[in-house]
Amino acid sequence: SDMVQILKQLPNCEVLAVGSRSVEGAKRFGDRWGIPRHYGSYEDAASDKDVDVCYIATPSLRHPKDCLLAIKNGKAVLCEKSMAPNDTIAKEIFDAAKEANVLVVHGVWSRFFPAMQKVREIIDAGEIGEVRSARASFCQNDGAGSCSALLETGIYCAQFLQWALEDKAVGGSPIVRGAAKTIHESGNDEHVTSIIEFPSKKIGSFECSLAHCSDRSATIYGSGGVIEVPFPFWCPTTVKVTKMTGLGSQQWSEPELYEFPLPADITALKTSDGSTPGFNFCNSQGLAYEAAEVNRCFREGLTESPSFTTAQCIEIMRLISEIGSYA
């Protein structure tokens, strides 16, 4: 329901239809949030001729099938993470979208936050010198065994490392140099840590878990200082920069703090019964950044977002796949 509330407040956007596995389920959700068309199958929803973009938030194991269904019907797609269990299937989805000439965006919403853009600006301006490494931690004691920690929270860590350590001028691909994991009795990984080598001798590391907690922050380390992105680093509103110089890098500057408030015009909406249940997740108002980018890309006839390209997405899914199969 968080994305529905966002879309209903987004300029030049209408929430037209909802699809479910039953007409009753679709009608119940649609009536609650004021969505006029209700479909008892995803096929019927995807074939509605008036629908331009399908937002896919079905159970994650269905994501590939539902993406391909929407693409087959000529719809643009915004798919919640993880869009696929591995890079091979992700590539199949993007290849289908390319053939159909439709937009597909993987909903790793971190990429579209202004704070993330600021991080990249700081790196490119050389404010902390030469970036050499980065780390990210996303551990929560919630959901162990129900799904893969790598696909649930690790994907946010991997995308952050890519954002911080990617060097488009140099090119090349990151390499997984090590990983360790523990497996829940369900067969899903519940705790994973990994080391990734990026081109230009840059090293990234991350830890993800659904069985215990961490501070859920990320840090970028350079020859002249550090960039800290505190909780919640995957949907950030704060960036802190501390410059370090002198003998042993022991002279620390006064930290520079950059704040990016969430959109003030996005609020929790009332449902049909007059209640205001609010948002389910931390900083959900920030979904407006991702939704606005999809809207812009669709209206401009793009088939990918420049902020999170097909190649970048497939690379992240490759890293996740290789870490998952490591050892």
Side-chain angles (χ1 to χ4, degrees):
S1 62
D2 287 9
M3 182 60 90
V4 170
Q5 295 180 71
I6 299 302
L7 295 175
K8 289 179 77 71
Q9 299 174 76
L10 193 70
N12 303 311
C13 181
E14 178 186 4
V15 183
L16 182 65
V18 56
S20 182
R21 285 170 287 186
S22 70
V23 173
E24 294 77 16
K27 187 176 189 312
R28 184 167 55 249
F29 187 88
D31 287 346
R32 179 173 173 80
W33 292 106
I35 303 172
R37 303 183 188 180
H38 316 139
Y39 292 105
S41 74
Y42 302 124
E43 290 82 359
D44 288 344
S47 62
D48 186 321
K49 62 181 179 60
D50 296 321
V51 169
D52 296 316
V53 182
C54 288
Y55 170 60
I56 295 174
T58 51
S60 58
L61 291 177
R62 285 195 56 105
H63 287 178
K65 178 181 179 180
D66 293 336
C67 282
L68 292 171
L69 175 65
I71 292 167
K72 179 182 177 181
N73 282 275
K75 312 302 185 187
V77 171
L78 169 60
C79 181
E80 271 300 338
K81 58 84 188 165
S82 173
M83 69 181 296
N86 55 56
D87 57 315
T88 299
I89 295 177
K91 189 175 184 302
E92 290 175 4
I93 295 170
F94 283 115
D95 285 347
K98 183 177 180 180
E99 184 176 349
N101 195 37
V102 297
L103 171 71
V104 170
V105 176
H106 190 183
V108 182
W109 62 324
S110 312
R111 283 296 170 100
F112 309 102
F113 275 73
M116 288 291 283
Q117 304 303 319
K118 185 62 179 179
V119 165
R120 194 66 241 181
E121 289 174 12
I122 293 167
I123 293 172
D124 292 343
E127 291 190 30
I128 62 165
E130 182 184 359
V131 170
R132 299 303 302 270
S133 68
R135 54 148 289 275
S137 177
F138 195 155
C139 303
Q140 61 186 36
N141 186 18
D142 181 21
S146 63
C147 58
S148 161
L150 259 178
L151 292 173
E152 183 68 16
T153 62
I155 195 167
Y156 286 122
C157 299
Q159 76 81 27
F160 184 89
L161 298 183
Q162 183 193 65
W163 187 248
L165 302 177
E166 182 182 55
D167 190 337
K168 294 180 181 178
V170 173
S173 299
I175 302 169
V176 177
R177 291 301 189 188
K181 60 186 175 183
T182 60
I183 305 298
H184 188 272
E185 60 186 16
S186 67
N188 289 315
D189 61 77
E190 64 177 10
H191 181 202
V192 182
T193 184
S194 182
I195 298 173
I196 304 170
E197 180 183 348
F198 286 76
S200 300
K201 300 181 179 179
K202 299 176 182 179
I203 301 293
S205 61
F206 78 77
E207 178 186 24
C208 65
S209 173
L210 297 178
H212 73 282
C213 305
S214 71
D215 64 355
R216 285 156 283 181
S217 67
T219 310
I220 301 166
Y221 306 96
S223 58
V226 301
I227 303 170
E228 297 173 76
V229 185
F231 175 91
F233 84 88
W234 68 98
C235 49
T237 58
T238 302
V239 176
K240 185 171 84 169
V241 179
T242 305
K243 298 176 182 178
M244 303 172 182
T245 58
L247 182 64
S249 301
Q250 296 180 71
Q251 296 178 20
W252 291 27
S253 69
E254 187 70 24
E256 299 175 68
L257 203 62
Y258 300 93
E259 300 281 0
F260 300 88
L262 295 167
D265 57 344
I266 299 293
T267 60
L269 300 181
K270 287 186 177 182
T271 63
S272 58
D273 64 8
S275 65
T276 307
F279 295 108
N280 293 297
F281 299 105
C282 177
N283 289 354
S284 279
Q285 297 95 320
L287 287 167
Y289 304 129
E290 174 185 74
E293 173 66 359
V294 171
N295 201 349
R296 181 189 71 83
C297 290
F298 176 78
R299 290 177 179 277
E300 293 182 10
L302 304 181
T303 56
E304 65 177 10
S305 167
S307 296
F308 192 30
T309 66
T310 297
Q312 289 173 325
C313 177
I314 291 175
E315 180 175 89
I316 288 173
M317 295 307 301
R318 175 183 64 80
L319 291 173
I320 293 295
S321 298
E322 291 180 4
I323 292 167
S325 60
Y326 199 93

